[in-house]
Amino acid sequence: MFDVIRIPAFKDNYIWLLRKGTSAVVVDPGDARPVLEILECEGLTLSSILVTHHHADHQGGVAGLLAHYPAEVFGPASESITALTRPLHGGETFCLASLEAEFRVFAVPGHTLGHLAYYGSGRLFCGDTLFGAGCGRLFEGTAAQMHDSLRQIAALPEDTAVYCAHEYTEANLRFALSVEPGNRRLRQRVDEVAVARAKGLPTVPFSIALEKATNPFLRCREPELVAAAQSRVAAANDAVEVFAALREWKNNF
Ligand code: ZN
Ligand code: FE
């Protein structure tokens, strides 16, 4: 089993470094500098780079890393990814020999159309799809696509550790609580996250079980959330329409 090291980048991004022995793999290196510092400091060799989608804060550091290490670059076949050597599609699996790990690829369109998530060893690296108590904005895909992507993720084992690419949980919880104030587990999470953030601790990774209990975007059939959505959009009847209404509401929250 590999270790996962969190590398903060920019204002609120996380780059995830997967390590086994002296081998390292990074997920979504938006910036090369903090990754190079850790690799040098820990005496690690970078063998592979995984990219979830084309946004600069997820792949802007690829070229800078390749200038130091001849790593393979895995990413969505349908997006423009720097120096991509292993184009991937949803449903595929691939092995990372340096980590002795196999990963399953999920197509999770919504934030971008080609967005992928990587699942292996009980961990999910999902970029800007699922966030703590929230989800990515719909820049390219439709609400139906994102809703379906989140459903696929929610179907993973409850104890899956989810590594998303941004520390957005605290702000997301403010919205979640405003639309589902009757959710006790949600109120408890608000308190837990406030304590963690006050100490400067991360809220990522989190479990699928926790998200299913507290993330409004995974709870579009809950009566309290349906009623909240209908207070904004009268025609929000099925789960996708409720999801769309909540996503739009959150954009302006
Ligand atoms: Zn993005
Ligand atoms: Fe991002």
Side-chain angles (χ1 to χ4, degrees), residues 233-253:
V233 178
N237 293 312
D238 69 20
V240 171
E241 289 164 346
V242 170
F243 173 83
L246 292 174
R247 183 59 265 182
E248 181 64 25
W249 188 351
K250 171 75 167 56
N251 290 345
N252 305 300
F253 183 72

Side-chain angles (χ1 to χ4, degrees), residues 86-105:
R86 288 288 301 271
L88 297 169
H89 301 87
E92 284 184 62
T93 58
F94 63 90
C95 280
L96 293 178
S98 64
L99 300 181
E100 295 170 32
E102 186 176 71
F103 288 84
R104 201 156 100 213
V105 181

Side-chain angles (χ1 to χ4, degrees), residues 53 55 57-58 111 128:
H53 67 290
H55 289 159
D57 64 311
H58 297 256
H111 180 70
D128 289 355

Side-chain angles (χ1 to χ4, degrees), residues 193-208:
V193 164
V195 169
R197 296 307 292 154
K199 292 182 189 159
L201 296 173
T203 66
V204 188
F206 43 77
S207 71
I208 294 285

Side-chain angles (χ1 to χ4, degrees), residues 66-95:
L66 293 178
H68 292 81
Y69 300 93
E72 281 203 277
V73 180
F74 297 71
S78 64
E79 295 195 350
S80 170
I81 306 295
T82 304
L84 185 65
T85 55
R86 288 288 301 271
L88 297 169
H89 301 87
E92 284 184 62
T93 58
F94 63 90
C95 280

Side-chain angles (χ1 to χ4, degrees), residues 29-245:
D31 191 5
R33 190 185 40 80
V35 177
L36 290 170
E37 277 170 18
I38 300 244
L39 292 171
E40 278 154 28
C41 174
E42 302 277 321
L44 302 174
T45 302
L46 184 69
S47 61
S48 306
I49 298 169
L50 309 186
V51 177
T52 61
H53 67 290
H54 67 84
H55 289 159
D57 64 311
H58 297 256
Q59 64 155 335
V62 171
L65 293 171
L66 293 178
H68 292 81
Y69 300 93
E72 281 203 277
V73 180
F74 297 71
S78 64
E79 295 195 350
S80 170
I81 306 295
T82 304
L84 185 65
T85 55
R86 288 288 301 271
L88 297 169
H89 301 87
E92 284 184 62
T93 58
F94 63 90
C95 280
L96 293 178
S98 64
L99 300 181
E100 295 170 32
E102 186 176 71
F103 288 84
R104 201 156 100 213
V105 181
F106 286 90
V108 287
H111 180 70
T112 66
L113 283 174
H115 202 304
L116 298 179
Y118 304 110
Y119 174 69
S121 305
R123 290 147 166 170
L124 180 76
F125 299 90
C126 64
D128 289 355
T129 302
L130 178 66
F131 291 126
C135 72
R137 284 176 186 264
L138 303 178
F139 285 124
E140 298 176 12
T142 64
Q145 283 176 315
M146 184 61 124
H147 182 257
D148 195 59
S149 296
L150 293 173
R151 254 199 342 207
Q152 281 187 75
I153 290 174
L156 290 170
E158 298 251 304
D159 62 352
T160 300
V162 180
Y163 295 81
C164 61
H166 291 272
E167 179 63 62
Y168 286 160
T169 313
E170 196 166 31
N172 286 341
L173 282 169
R174 281 194 283 276
F175 175 73
L177 191 62
S178 81
V179 291
E180 200 186 12
N183 181 337
R184 282 180 62 178
R185 182 66 187 91
L186 174 58
R187 293 207 307 272
Q188 191 188 335
R189 188 180 190 188
V190 169
D191 294 340
E192 291 162 0
V193 164
V195 169
R197 296 307 292 154
K199 292 182 189 159
L201 296 173
T203 66
V204 188
F206 43 77
S207 71
I208 294 285
L210 180 58
E211 291 312 306
K212 282 162 80 171
T214 58
N215 187 324
F217 298 103
L218 300 184
R219 297 169 60 75
C220 294
R221 293 182 192 282
E222 289 297 317
E224 190 177 7
L225 285 169
V226 173
Q230 287 174 345
S231 75
R232 301 278 292 203
V233 178
N237 293 312
D238 69 20
V240 171
E241 289 164 346
V242 170
F243 173 83

